[in-house]
Structures are given as C-alpha cells and as structure tokens.
Amino acid sequence: TLCASRKRGFTMNILDTNLSAIEEQFDVIIAGGGPAGAAAAIAAARAGCSVLVVDRGIHPRPKVCGCCLAPAGIEALTQLGASSVLNQAQQLSTVRLECGDRIIHMRREGGVAIGRDELDESLLRVAAESGCVILMGSVASFDVDGSVVVRQNKIVRRIRSRVRIAADGLQGTSLDGMSKFEWRVSQSSRMGFGATVDGSTLDLCREQILMSVHEGGYIGAVRLANGRIDIAAAAHPSVIRSAGGVALLASQWLGSHLRDSAGFGAAEWRGTPLLTRRRIQLARENVLVAGDASGYVEPFTGEGMSWALATGLAAGNHASAMILSSASSNQWPRIANRIVRSSRMRCLITAQLLRHPRLL
C-alpha cells in the first residue's frame, strides 16, 4: 500500500539536488546520509513513502570508522535489497589480537571490510534509485512544531513530514532544538581517531583484522579491497595529549608493523567526540532516533556499522507503519533497544576488559 504522497520512480544525481527545487512535504524526512539514514530511506521508500534525506556532507567523504561489517550488517543489506554494494568488499577471515608481548590469532569468517566513503555513497545511490530525494551539503533541524528547517548554502526552507528520523550520528545537530533528546556521556568514555593510509605503510595481511591493545586504548587496522589500509583507534584524551597527537600515538601503538613513518604521519587524521553515550530518549511524537544518533559504545567488536544498518532498516519500516497508522512512536525505543541490546552489552563488557590489558 502506498503512503500519502506519490512514490517517485526516477534516478537522480545525489550530488546535485537543489533545495529550492524540492517539494514542501514528504512522508518521511531523514537527517543523516550515513548507513543508518540511507538504510531508513531505502526501507521507507520501498514501502511506498516519499522520502527526503538531508546530509551535511558531500559524498564520497572519509569517516573515522573501523570499516568492518559483521554478518548482521550484511544481513540487513540483504533485507534492504542492497547487498550489491558489497560486490567489491574485502572478505575477512582472521583477527590478530596483540596485547603486550602476547599474540593470538582467531578465525573470524563471514565479515567484510569496506571503506565508509564507498559504502555511504553506494547506499545513497540505492536510495536515490528507490525514489528518495537526497540533499547533500545541507543541514536539517527538527522543530517542535513537527517541521524540519533545512539550510543549503544561503537557502533556508521549512519542510513538513509525517515522520522524522534523526540518523545524523554522534555529531549530529538535528535534535538540538528539541528537549529531552540530550546526550548522557559516560565519564570513562574514550574518543576515536583514524585515517586511511597507503597500502605500503603497514605490514598487514589481506583478510586479517589487526587489533593492538595498550594502556589507555587500542588501535585496529584492516586492508581494504583497493589495497589501502584503514586505521581506527580509541583512546583516552589524556593519552593522546601525552603522546603529542593522534598520529604519534598511532605510530607508537602499531610499532613493528609500521613500514613508512613519514607517510603515516602525513596522513589525514580525523577524530570523533567521546564515544560511549546514549540519548535520554529515542522517540517523541513523529520523531524516531536511529543509528549512532541514538547511542554508542566503543566498537572493539567491529559491529558499529551493523548496528547502524539494522536500526536504520527498522526505523524506515517503522516510519512507514506509523504513516499507515499501524504503529506509533511510543513503540520505537523498545524495538531499537531489542535490536542492539545484546551486542552492545557484549561490546561494552569488552571495552571495560580492554581497560585492563594484563587481565586481557
């Protein structure tokens, strides 16, 4: 059954949509074009809804991310009919875990590595092909009156929708104007940082995830299908300051794996806010919160993208059900928590264990 507005059936260039040219109302407006936002958009559009996605970035864009997708995330893509985005992904088979002078090799089959720039852009293209309108380089702010204020360059418009989904991550601002969506940040939280470096920079096998644990944090590396290496880490801010910056700390932690220290230091390093946090609430009237925007824990177990895809898929389906009056926003927190509760708890326990390398 189609939702209120007609379903669009055309493919568009996701980089060129102009705010001035779009309609004044959609069934669903989504803030954020990452894995959660794109998954929500695809799910809602394929249920017959008119969908607008607003993302502040210009794709393709690099992100601080471990770039490892677990089987749960692959299953979510399959349910979305978007598994083709992984056609060029790097298969993974082992994990090398280092802690001090101890090393253990573990089998970890079923996962893949894919750059966030590639995954995000591919998913948004699937969303556009599904009929979604994609606004890049734009900022969405949810208003208490149920509308969304969208800014693109000097253009500002107020657009209405029947359901709004906040999926703009840890640094998103779509909910800043609404009460009771504030963050609660863990006092022991670490910040993330990372970069993508040339494949000759590190000694790293294909199909292997390297994880190295240290006092104050840990670092991971994985080789992508294009041969480049993605590096992602989590550390207490004081440890980063003591090391003289993220690049110096990363080179210390990777130690003997490093082949080209000059190229390593010259990489474009990025950081994140404090990682372990949660929203006070995940829903209100016609607002649903999905993906990292709903909460996060240190993703040592490589499930961060899978959480985003799974909750985004569920949010898109729930939004379409709300429009058809077969669901309400009050049900969403229970649904979202059920999807990620066990895996996030496992990851949280692991993150606490990592604070004690000798015990690990």
mmCIF file of all heavy atoms in Angstrom, residues 285-319:
data_model
loop_
_atom_site.group_PDB
_atom_site.id
_atom_site.type_symbol
_atom_site.label_atom_id
_atom_site.label_comp_id
_atom_site.label_asym_id
_atom_site.label_seq_id
_atom_site.Cartn_x
_atom_site.Cartn_y
_atom_site.Cartn_z
ATOM 1 N N GLU A 285 6.544 11.789 19.618
ATOM 2 C CA GLU A 285 5.534 12.122 18.620
ATOM 3 C C GLU A 285 5.930 11.550 17.256
ATOM 4 O O GLU A 285 5.950 10.351 17.091
ATOM 5 C CB GLU A 285 5.327 13.648 18.589
ATOM 6 C CG GLU A 285 4.793 14.181 19.914
ATOM 7 C CD GLU A 285 4.809 15.695 19.973
ATOM 8 O OE1 GLU A 285 5.211 16.327 18.983
ATOM 9 O OE2 GLU A 285 4.423 16.238 21.021
ATOM 10 N N ASN A 286 6.309 12.394 16.320
ATOM 11 C CA ASN A 286 6.635 11.863 14.993
ATOM 12 C C ASN A 286 8.140 11.781 14.760
ATOM 13 O O ASN A 286 8.605 11.793 13.625
ATOM 14 C CB ASN A 286 5.992 12.721 13.888
ATOM 15 C CG ASN A 286 6.657 14.083 13.749
ATOM 16 O OD1 ASN A 286 7.277 14.581 14.693
ATOM 17 N ND2 ASN A 286 6.527 14.684 12.574
ATOM 18 N N VAL A 287 8.937 11.681 15.834
ATOM 19 C CA VAL A 287 10.396 11.626 15.721
ATOM 20 C C VAL A 287 10.914 10.270 16.189
ATOM 21 O O VAL A 287 10.560 9.787 17.269
ATOM 22 C CB VAL A 287 11.061 12.740 16.562
ATOM 23 C CG1 VAL A 287 12.584 12.587 16.540
ATOM 24 C CG2 VAL A 287 10.663 14.108 16.047
ATOM 25 N N LEU A 288 11.784 9.642 15.359
ATOM 26 C CA LEU A 288 12.488 8.420 15.713
ATOM 27 C C LEU A 288 13.983 8.698 15.635
ATOM 28 O O LEU A 288 14.427 9.445 14.765
ATOM 29 C CB LEU A 288 12.135 7.278 14.754
ATOM 30 C CG LEU A 288 10.659 6.973 14.501
ATOM 31 C CD1 LEU A 288 10.527 5.852 13.468
ATOM 32 C CD2 LEU A 288 9.956 6.598 15.794
ATOM 33 N N VAL A 289 14.762 8.093 16.535
ATOM 34 C CA VAL A 289 16.214 8.256 16.513
ATOM 35 C C VAL A 289 16.838 6.898 16.220
ATOM 36 O O VAL A 289 16.497 5.896 16.855
ATOM 37 C CB VAL A 289 16.747 8.803 17.852
ATOM 38 C CG1 VAL A 289 18.231 9.147 17.732
ATOM 39 C CG2 VAL A 289 15.957 10.029 18.288
ATOM 40 N N ALA A 290 17.767 6.859 15.241
ATOM 41 C CA ALA A 290 18.353 5.588 14.810
ATOM 42 C C ALA A 290 19.855 5.731 14.614
ATOM 43 O O ALA A 290 20.389 6.833 14.481
ATOM 44 C CB ALA A 290 17.697 5.119 13.507
ATOM 45 N N GLY A 291 20.539 4.588 14.576
ATOM 46 C CA GLY A 291 21.974 4.574 14.333
ATOM 47 C C GLY A 291 22.764 5.171 15.477
ATOM 48 O O GLY A 291 22.334 5.172 16.628
ATOM 49 N N ASP A 292 23.945 5.723 15.165
ATOM 50 C CA ASP A 292 24.803 6.301 16.197
ATOM 51 C C ASP A 292 24.146 7.468 16.911
ATOM 52 O O ASP A 292 24.529 7.802 18.032
ATOM 53 C CB ASP A 292 26.118 6.776 15.580
ATOM 54 C CG ASP A 292 26.933 5.656 14.965
ATOM 55 O OD1 ASP A 292 26.547 4.479 15.136
ATOM 56 O OD2 ASP A 292 27.942 5.946 14.296
ATOM 57 N N ALA A 293 23.167 8.119 16.276
ATOM 58 C CA ALA A 293 22.482 9.249 16.909
ATOM 59 C C ALA A 293 21.698 8.820 18.134
ATOM 60 O O ALA A 293 21.332 9.655 18.967
ATOM 61 C CB ALA A 293 21.545 9.921 15.909
ATOM 62 N N SER A 294 21.430 7.525 18.267
ATOM 63 C CA SER A 294 20.664 7.034 19.415
ATOM 64 C C SER A 294 21.549 6.643 20.591
ATOM 65 O O SER A 294 21.106 6.601 21.728
ATOM 66 C CB SER A 294 19.821 5.822 18.997
ATOM 67 O OG SER A 294 20.650 4.734 18.644
ATOM 68 N N GLY A 295 22.818 6.361 20.323
ATOM 69 C CA GLY A 295 23.728 5.940 21.378
ATOM 70 C C GLY A 295 24.852 5.107 20.799
ATOM 71 O O GLY A 295 24.758 4.603 19.672
ATOM 72 N N TYR A 296 25.925 4.957 21.570
ATOM 73 C CA TYR A 296 27.105 4.292 21.035
ATOM 74 C C TYR A 296 27.955 3.757 22.175
ATOM 75 O O TYR A 296 27.912 4.280 23.294
ATOM 76 C CB TYR A 296 27.916 5.305 20.214
ATOM 77 C CG TYR A 296 28.803 4.695 19.171
ATOM 78 C CD1 TYR A 296 28.283 3.984 18.107
ATOM 79 C CD2 TYR A 296 30.186 4.860 19.226
ATOM 80 C CE1 TYR A 296 29.094 3.452 17.123
ATOM 81 C CE2 TYR A 296 31.015 4.331 18.254
ATOM 82 C CZ TYR A 296 30.458 3.624 17.203
ATOM 83 O OH TYR A 296 31.271 3.092 16.234
ATOM 84 N N VAL A 297 28.711 2.718 21.895
ATOM 85 C CA VAL A 297 29.752 2.242 22.806
ATOM 86 C C VAL A 297 30.991 1.988 21.974
ATOM 87 O O VAL A 297 30.923 1.896 20.749
ATOM 88 C CB VAL A 297 29.343 0.964 23.570
ATOM 89 C CG1 VAL A 297 28.127 1.219 24.435
ATOM 90 C CG2 VAL A 297 29.085 -0.200 22.613
ATOM 91 N N GLU A 298 32.136 1.875 22.617
ATOM 92 C CA GLU A 298 33.376 1.641 21.885
ATOM 93 C C GLU A 298 33.246 0.376 21.031
ATOM 94 O O GLU A 298 32.961 -0.703 21.553
ATOM 95 C CB GLU A 298 34.545 1.492 22.852
ATOM 96 C CG GLU A 298 34.914 2.783 23.564
ATOM 97 C CD GLU A 298 35.986 2.565 24.611
ATOM 98 O OE1 GLU A 298 36.781 1.612 24.455
ATOM 99 O OE2 GLU A 298 36.030 3.320 25.593
ATOM 100 N N PRO A 299 33.459 0.489 19.722
ATOM 101 C CA PRO A 299 33.131 -0.624 18.814
ATOM 102 C C PRO A 299 34.274 -1.607 18.591
ATOM 103 O O PRO A 299 34.613 -1.931 17.457
ATOM 104 C CB PRO A 299 32.795 0.124 17.524
ATOM 105 C CG PRO A 299 33.721 1.312 17.559
ATOM 106 C CD PRO A 299 33.840 1.709 19.007
ATOM 107 N N PHE A 300 34.891 -2.098 19.649
ATOM 108 C CA PHE A 300 36.022 -3.017 19.501
ATOM 109 C C PHE A 300 35.626 -4.287 18.754
ATOM 110 O O PHE A 300 36.438 -4.882 18.052
ATOM 111 C CB PHE A 300 36.565 -3.384 20.893
ATOM 112 C CG PHE A 300 37.806 -4.242 20.849
ATOM 113 C CD1 PHE A 300 39.058 -3.657 20.727
ATOM 114 C CD2 PHE A 300 37.720 -5.618 20.924
ATOM 115 C CE1 PHE A 300 40.202 -4.445 20.692
ATOM 116 C CE2 PHE A 300 38.857 -6.408 20.887
ATOM 117 C CZ PHE A 300 40.103 -5.820 20.767
ATOM 118 N N THR A 301 34.396 -4.708 18.886
ATOM 119 C CA THR A 301 33.961 -5.963 18.263
ATOM 120 C C THR A 301 33.571 -5.796 16.804
ATOM 121 O O THR A 301 33.099 -6.742 16.172
ATOM 122 C CB THR A 301 32.772 -6.566 19.039
ATOM 123 O OG1 THR A 301 31.729 -5.580 19.130
ATOM 124 C CG2 THR A 301 33.185 -6.976 20.422
ATOM 125 N N GLY A 302 33.756 -4.614 16.230
ATOM 126 C CA GLY A 302 33.522 -4.412 14.806
ATOM 127 C C GLY A 302 32.071 -4.463 14.391
ATOM 128 O O GLY A 302 31.753 -4.909 13.291
ATOM 129 N N GLU A 303 31.172 -3.975 15.249
ATOM 130 C CA GLU A 303 29.742 -4.061 14.946
ATOM 131 C C GLU A 303 29.071 -2.702 14.763
ATOM 132 O O GLU A 303 27.859 -2.637 14.603
ATOM 133 C CB GLU A 303 29.035 -4.828 16.062
ATOM 134 C CG GLU A 303 29.480 -6.279 16.169
ATOM 135 C CD GLU A 303 28.879 -6.973 17.380
ATOM 136 O OE1 GLU A 303 29.392 -6.744 18.491
ATOM 137 O OE2 GLU A 303 27.922 -7.733 17.199
ATOM 138 N N GLY A 304 29.848 -1.621 14.786
ATOM 139 C CA GLY A 304 29.255 -0.293 14.720
ATOM 140 C C GLY A 304 28.398 -0.065 13.485
ATOM 141 O O GLY A 304 27.270 0.416 13.574
ATOM 142 N N MET A 305 28.920 -0.413 12.296
ATOM 143 C CA MET A 305 28.146 -0.216 11.066
ATOM 144 C C MET A 305 26.937 -1.144 11.032
ATOM 145 O O MET A 305 25.891 -0.791 10.476
ATOM 146 C CB MET A 305 29.029 -0.434 9.837
ATOM 147 C CG MET A 305 30.051 0.662 9.611
ATOM 148 S SD MET A 305 30.769 0.624 7.954
ATOM 149 C CE MET A 305 31.646 -0.938 7.963
ATOM 150 N N SER A 306 27.074 -2.327 11.606
ATOM 151 C CA SER A 306 25.950 -3.270 11.622
ATOM 152 C C SER A 306 24.811 -2.740 12.479
ATOM 153 O O SER A 306 23.637 -2.871 12.119
ATOM 154 C CB SER A 306 26.413 -4.637 12.144
ATOM 155 O OG SER A 306 27.357 -5.214 11.263
ATOM 156 N N TRP A 307 25.138 -2.124 13.627
ATOM 157 C CA TRP A 307 24.093 -1.504 14.455
ATOM 158 C C TRP A 307 23.365 -0.426 13.669
ATOM 159 O O TRP A 307 22.138 -0.331 13.710
ATOM 160 C CB TRP A 307 24.707 -0.865 15.708
ATOM 161 C CG TRP A 307 25.385 -1.808 16.632
ATOM 162 C CD1 TRP A 307 25.124 -3.137 16.791
ATOM 163 C CD2 TRP A 307 26.454 -1.499 17.536
ATOM 164 N NE1 TRP A 307 25.963 -3.673 17.735
ATOM 165 C CE2 TRP A 307 26.791 -2.695 18.210
ATOM 166 C CE3 TRP A 307 27.154 -0.338 17.839
ATOM 167 C CZ2 TRP A 307 27.797 -2.747 19.175
ATOM 168 C CZ3 TRP A 307 28.160 -0.393 18.793
ATOM 169 C CH2 TRP A 307 28.476 -1.580 19.449
ATOM 170 N N ALA A 308 24.135 0.387 12.949
ATOM 171 C CA ALA A 308 23.530 1.489 12.193
ATOM 172 C C ALA A 308 22.591 0.956 11.109
ATOM 173 O O ALA A 308 21.465 1.436 10.951
ATOM 174 C CB ALA A 308 24.622 2.353 11.573
ATOM 175 N N LEU A 309 23.043 -0.034 10.351
ATOM 176 C CA LEU A 309 22.219 -0.581 9.271
ATOM 177 C C LEU A 309 20.963 -1.247 9.807
ATOM 178 O O LEU A 309 19.868 -1.063 9.264
ATOM 179 C CB LEU A 309 23.038 -1.577 8.450
ATOM 180 C CG LEU A 309 24.117 -0.977 7.552
ATOM 181 C CD1 LEU A 309 25.058 -2.070 7.048
ATOM 182 C CD2 LEU A 309 23.490 -0.234 6.381
ATOM 183 N N ALA A 310 21.111 -2.021 10.875
ATOM 184 C CA ALA A 310 19.959 -2.753 11.412
ATOM 185 C C ALA A 310 18.918 -1.810 11.998
ATOM 186 O O ALA A 310 17.710 -1.964 11.760
ATOM 187 C CB ALA A 310 20.424 -3.756 12.463
ATOM 188 N N THR A 311 19.353 -0.804 12.767
ATOM 189 C CA THR A 311 18.378 0.126 13.347
ATOM 190 C C THR A 311 17.802 1.052 12.284
ATOM 191 O O THR A 311 16.635 1.446 12.358
ATOM 192 C CB THR A 311 19.000 0.948 14.483
ATOM 193 O OG1 THR A 311 20.154 1.650 13.996
ATOM 194 C CG2 THR A 311 19.402 0.056 15.646
ATOM 195 N N GLY A 312 18.613 1.402 11.280
ATOM 196 C CA GLY A 312 18.090 2.229 10.191
ATOM 197 C C GLY A 312 17.010 1.505 9.405
ATOM 198 O O GLY A 312 15.958 2.073 9.097
ATOM 199 N N LEU A 313 17.271 0.245 9.072
ATOM 200 C CA LEU A 313 16.268 -0.582 8.386
ATOM 201 C C LEU A 313 14.975 -0.636 9.184
ATOM 202 O O LEU A 313 13.874 -0.436 8.647
ATOM 203 C CB LEU A 313 16.831 -1.988 8.179
ATOM 204 C CG LEU A 313 15.859 -3.101 7.785
ATOM 205 C CD1 LEU A 313 15.209 -2.809 6.445
ATOM 206 C CD2 LEU A 313 16.584 -4.446 7.746
ATOM 207 N N ALA A 314 15.092 -0.896 10.489
ATOM 208 C CA ALA A 314 13.900 -0.991 11.341
ATOM 209 C C ALA A 314 13.184 0.356 11.436
ATOM 210 O O ALA A 314 11.946 0.411 11.448
ATOM 211 C CB ALA A 314 14.295 -1.483 12.731
ATOM 212 N N ALA A 315 13.953 1.470 11.502
ATOM 213 C CA ALA A 315 13.335 2.795 11.600
ATOM 214 C C ALA A 315 12.546 3.133 10.343
ATOM 215 O O ALA A 315 11.443 3.692 10.407
ATOM 216 C CB ALA A 315 14.398 3.857 11.855
ATOM 217 N N GLY A 316 13.100 2.789 9.174
ATOM 218 C CA GLY A 316 12.379 3.038 7.933
ATOM 219 C C GLY A 316 11.092 2.246 7.851
ATOM 220 O O GLY A 316 10.038 2.771 7.444
ATOM 221 N N ASN A 317 11.152 0.982 8.259
ATOM 222 C CA ASN A 317 9.940 0.149 8.268
ATOM 223 C C ASN A 317 8.931 0.668 9.282
ATOM 224 O O ASN A 317 7.713 0.684 9.017
ATOM 225 C CB ASN A 317 10.309 -1.301 8.593
ATOM 226 C CG ASN A 317 11.024 -1.996 7.446
ATOM 227 O OD1 ASN A 317 10.840 -1.638 6.281
ATOM 228 N ND2 ASN A 317 11.837 -2.988 7.752
ATOM 229 N N HIS A 318 9.427 1.101 10.449
ATOM 230 C CA HIS A 318 8.519 1.597 11.490
ATOM 231 C C HIS A 318 7.874 2.909 11.058
ATOM 232 O O HIS A 318 6.685 3.139 11.325
ATOM 233 C CB HIS A 318 9.271 1.778 12.805
ATOM 234 C CG HIS A 318 8.386 1.887 13.998
ATOM 235 N ND1 HIS A 318 7.730 0.799 14.550
ATOM 236 C CD2 HIS A 318 8.005 2.961 14.749
ATOM 237 C CE1 HIS A 318 7.014 1.189 15.586
ATOM 238 N NE2 HIS A 318 7.162 2.502 15.724
ATOM 239 N N ALA A 319 8.637 3.758 10.383
ATOM 240 C CA ALA A 319 8.076 5.029 9.906
ATOM 241 C C ALA A 319 6.934 4.788 8.928
ATOM 242 O O ALA A 319 5.884 5.440 9.005
ATOM 243 C CB ALA A 319 9.176 5.862 9.243
#
